Amino acid sequence: MITSLAEQLLLARDLVETGRDDRELARACAAGEVARVWPGAYVEIGTWRMLDPREQQRLRSIAALATRRKDGLLLSHESAALLWGLPTWGWPAGPVELVDPTARRGTSTARLRVRASPLHAVERASRSGLPVTSLDRTVTDLLFSRSRVQAVVLVDHLLHSGLATREHLRVLLAARPAARRRRAAGWAVDFGSAGGESPGESVSRVLAHDARFVEPLLQVPFADGDGPIGVVDFAFPVPNDSGRLVLGEFDGDVKYRGATYRHGRTPEQVVQDEKEREDRLRALPATAGFVRWTRRDLADASRLTEKLRRAGVARRR
């Protein structure tokens, strides 16, 4: 996918080198035939409209690198994360990020941030022919630059997918003893869990923790007399009530719209199946309550807090 995206770029300098006028692309852009991805880089308008915001940001990163005249630059931080397939909560935004190992000082604009930083050979990599910081270097950069929530999204993904262990992440942090935000990065590594299957679940855990709710069990399977019911995202233990749990689930849009999740079912069938599944979960003797929340509830932490409280989720002392 990355290679095919790069092949879609139309570079103004390529036209000039073949003796053509680069103003052709500007006129095509004004006519709505191509989209301007980056200064000096365009893509067919139909292709651009088919890309989701993550793919569009990835293409901007590729275009920024392709139009720079200086050799030795590598994609880094969030731009490198896009190429490594590392997740974020919400669509990616912000400037394209590069690292220049030979520069004395960095530069930053609203569109582009170039950091000056030496790189060892093991910190350099290539993804589909594009120069990028290695996975370890990218992960370390992100842990020290992301917010607590976004850092946990990253750590959960790494642990869940087996790309890294908690011990390995601690080694990466220890290699930068003078880095700022060490405490926040270390907290994210300690808090992360292999049970976090999606960014929405990771954000939910952080917000519930900050609101002092009890720590939930993650990805708990349930069954009844009719057989397996399925796996529940969160199961909050009820203090002093052995075995009783308040069950919680984060409902992302992909659950109802994503073709992979639906397995050929219509969105309406998914809703009906989810209702029947919830009824079976609520009927279990161990179920003390059931609660669902969505992206909207995560956008306002007070909404999630109120839903968990009403469902009977206990607070930590």
Side-chain angles (χ1 to χ4, degrees):
M1 181 61 178
I2 295 173
T3 301
S4 61
L5 280 179
E7 292 172 346
Q8 299 296 322
L9 283 176
L10 306 171
L11 301 180
R13 73 183 186 196
D14 290 343
L15 281 181
V16 174
E17 290 173 358
T18 59
R20 299 169 63 188
D21 190 344
D22 64 337
R23 286 178 293 184
E24 291 180 29
L25 286 174
R27 288 193 291 269
C29 185
E33 298 170 0
V34 298
R36 184 173 180 264
V37 177
W38 194 261
Y42 301 79
V43 69
E44 296 290 344
I45 191 66
T47 300
W48 181 252
R49 289 174 176 170
M50 290 177 61
L51 302 178
D52 64 33
R54 184 176 178 87
E55 293 167 329
Q56 290 179 351
Q57 183 72 354
R58 184 185 292 123
L59 189 56
R60 288 190 191 97
S61 300
I62 296 171
L65 191 63
T67 55
R68 302 292 286 184
R69 293 292 184 178
K70 186 174 182 180
D71 294 330
L73 299 173
L74 298 89
L75 292 167
S76 70
H77 293 75
E78 297 296 345
S79 295
L82 288 169
L83 269 72
W84 284 111
L86 302 177
T88 185
W89 172 241
W91 293 117
V96 171
E97 298 183 274
L98 304 175
V99 61
D100 186 346
T102 64
R104 289 187 175 184
R105 64 181 63 181
T107 60
S108 182
T109 67
R111 179 187 291 126
L112 177 67
R113 178 178 297 144
V114 181
R115 291 177 172 86
S117 176
L119 292 175
H120 299 293
V122 295
E123 296 178 307
R124 302 167 183 258
S126 176
R127 292 285 287 174
S128 300
L130 298 170
V132 62
T133 51
S134 69
L135 180 60
D136 277 355
R137 173 65 189 241
T138 301
V139 166
T140 309
D141 287 339
L142 294 175
L143 287 175
F144 285 122
S145 61
R146 281 187 170 186
S147 67
R148 287 171 66 247
V149 171
Q150 294 284 19
V152 171
V153 169
L154 173 64
V155 173
D156 281 3
H157 171 77
L158 295 170
L159 298 179
H160 178 75
S161 61
L163 288 174
T165 63
R166 200 183 313 274
E167 291 71 23
H168 182 64
L169 295 177
R170 288 172 177 156
V171 169
L172 294 181
L173 296 187
R176 293 195 192 176
R180 294 181 298 174
R181 297 178 54 82
R182 280 186 52 81
R183 185 173 182 179
W187 181 88
V189 169
D190 291 341
F191 185 78
S193 171
E197 291 191 341
S198 72
E201 293 175 26
S202 301
V203 175
S204 300
R205 285 178 47 242
V206 176
L207 297 184
H209 171 85
D210 290 350
R212 300 193 61 78
F213 287 106
V214 295
E215 181 179 354
L217 305 174
L218 305 179
Q219 310 305 326
V220 182
F222 287 93
D224 59 11
D226 293 327
I229 302 175
V231 176
V232 176
D233 297 337
F234 302 89
F236 297 90
V238 177
N240 304 320
D241 194 349
S242 178
R244 298 270 286 173
L245 302 163
V246 177
L247 309 184
E249 297 217 308
F250 166 70
D251 284 344
D253 293 342
V254 68
K255 180 174 287 188
Y256 303 102
R257 301 178 185 175
T260 301
Y261 180 90
R262 297 203 317 259
H263 299 297
R265 298 173 296 170
T266 66
E268 292 74 19
Q269 288 175 318
V270 174
V271 171
Q272 180 61 33
D273 290 346
E274 285 294 311
K275 183 180 183 303
E276 294 177 0
R277 174 174 173 272
E278 180 177 329
D279 288 342
R280 292 173 66 188
L281 289 169
R282 286 182 179 274
L284 293 173
T287 301
F290 192 97
V291 57
R292 291 183 181 274
W293 59 89
T294 65
R295 295 178 66 94
R296 183 182 177 190
D297 299 311
L298 300 185
D300 180 354
S302 64
R303 292 175 58 90
L304 177 62
T305 298
E306 182 62 14
K307 281 195 170 185
L308 295 179
R309 186 191 66 80
R310 289 186 177 182
V313 179
R315 302 286 185 103
R316 304 191 308 275
R317 292 184 179 180

